Each structure stands twice: as structure tokens, then as C-alpha cells.
Amino acid sequence: MDSFQAMPQPQAEQMLEELYDLVCKDIRGLRRLVKQNDVLPFYRNTLPPKAQMRQPAPGETVRMRDQIDFLNALVAEADQLTDLLPRLAARQRIPQNLDNYEKSLEFARCVVRIKELGVDWEIATAGIGEVNINEAKRILQEGDKPGILTENELQILREDVKVWEEGLPAAKAAWEVVLQKSISPTNV
């Protein structure tokens, strides 16, 4: 079932960067501002940390639970950012002398990250292969050829199918709620 070959890390990062650029084309100037200033230590980033998928130990594979947990982390990050965006927008309108640039930068970071989250979500949901889950269901339903999968591997398949069936619809529904909130006219 794991015939998928992972893309080399530098190539994957470059492709992700290109996808971010395509999605952020309407805010390219903001994204450029954020990238240029993120290397400067005196402009601290107070946004929530970027969601990360748990990295498996050597010899361990990424399980469905890890993927669903990552989707839920993306939802939580998007929810925090969409709640924060109106406050950052209002804060940068208040005239103050010292940190207007830093306030604008934080607002820009938030806008850019919300756009990038859409890419992260699409990649993560595309990575949860329905084909693999359907194959796992078929194996469990029909029974596997003797000697190919151990009882432990069959149990892992059962668990992954259960997590997928329970966790994915809930994560997608939560994403839709956050998405609706982010496009609400009261949000900025």
C-alpha cells in the first residue's frame, strides 16, 4: 500500500514555496515584506506557531491519526489567526509613534499565513489517500492472502480506517466553519 515515494525535502520545499506564491499573488507585496523582515530578529513574531505534522521515528510510518491530528492543528491555527486578524487590523489603525511598522508587519504576517494555510490544507487533505483507505477496506472486507499481512498489520489497517471515517469528516466540517468565519464581512 505504501508505493508512494516521498519527494526529496529541498524539492518539496521549493514546490510548497511556489504554491504559496501562486495563492498569494494578490498579496505578493505583503508576502515579500513578511519574508524580508522575518530574518530580522528585532521584529518578533507573536502569531501562533505554524502547525507541524508529528515526525515518525526511524522505521515508523506516518499513521492516519498523525494526519488527522495535523488537519486538526491546521484548523486550530486558522481559527486563531482569523480571530486575531480583526484585532491586528484595528490595532494598526490606532496612531502611535513607535511600533506602527511592527504592527503592520504583524498584520501582514497574519494575512499571509491565512492564505498559506489554504495551501497547507489542500496538500494535507490530498495526502490522505482515499485510494489507500479504500484498498485497506477491501483487504479487511475480503480478507488478505495468507502470509502477506500479519495480524498486527491488519489491526493497524482497522485502526486507520476507523480514524479516517471518524476523524476526517469532523476535521473537514471544522475547516468549513473556520473558512466561513474568515470570509465573514465582520472579519476585517
Side-chain angles (χ1 to χ4, degrees):
M1 269 180 38
D2 275 59
S3 60
F4 176 75
Q5 243 353 37
M7 186 181 294
Q9 190 64 25
Q11 187 181 356
E13 287 173 8
Q14 179 184 355
M15 182 175 281
L16 182 61
E17 194 61 31
E18 289 171 9
L19 288 170
Y20 282 164
D21 279 342
L22 285 171
V23 167
C24 294
K25 66 182 174 210
D26 58 330
I27 57 166
R28 192 163 281 145
L30 277 182
R31 189 156 192 275
R32 190 171 30 256
L33 173 81
V34 167
K35 287 182 75 166
Q36 288 169 347
N37 287 285
D38 274 353
V39 295
L40 304 175
F42 43 86
Y43 292 121
R44 64 193 203 313
N45 188 348
T46 58
L47 297 181
K50 188 174 179 176
Q52 300 287 323
M53 186 180 299
R54 182 186 77 82
Q55 294 302 308
E60 184 184 33
T61 60
V62 174
R63 297 282 310 276
M64 185 58 66
R65 169 60 48 211
D66 298 325
Q67 293 176 316
I68 298 296
D69 287 348
F70 178 60
L71 290 178
N72 288 325
L74 289 175
V75 169
E77 181 186 355
D79 194 37
Q80 290 174 3
L81 290 174
T82 55
D83 285 346
L84 186 60
L85 190 61
R87 287 185 296 203
L88 291 175
R91 206 180 86 183
Q92 78 173 343
R93 291 185 197 114
I94 299 170
Q96 291 182 0
N97 51 6
L98 281 176
D99 58 353
N100 280 341
Y101 186 77
E102 193 163 346
K103 288 177 184 176
S104 296
L105 181 59
E106 200 66 359
F107 175 76
R109 279 185 181 123
C110 191
V111 169
V112 167
R113 186 63 197 128
I114 287 171
K115 286 275 201 177
E116 290 174 345
L117 268 165
V119 172
D120 294 341
W121 176 266
E122 291 301 321
I123 290 172
T125 54
I128 297 179
E130 196 164 328
V131 171
N132 285 350
I133 292 298
N134 288 337
E135 178 66 11
K137 286 179 180 178
R138 185 197 59 74
I139 289 170
L140 293 172
Q141 198 171 40
E142 296 173 7
D144 197 30
K145 296 178 182 89
I148 294 186
L149 293 179
T150 66
E151 186 54 42
N152 187 41
E153 291 168 327
L154 287 170
Q155 184 57 36
I156 288 171
L157 280 180
R158 283 185 205 97
E159 290 170 12
D160 277 355
V161 168
K162 183 178 179 187
V163 166
W164 184 83
E165 288 176 336
E166 293 172 357
L168 189 59
K172 284 184 173 183
W175 179 259
E176 286 301 316
V177 168
V178 171
L179 194 59
Q180 288 304 311
K181 185 171 74 169
S182 72
I183 58 175
S184 164
T186 59
N187 210 355
V188 181

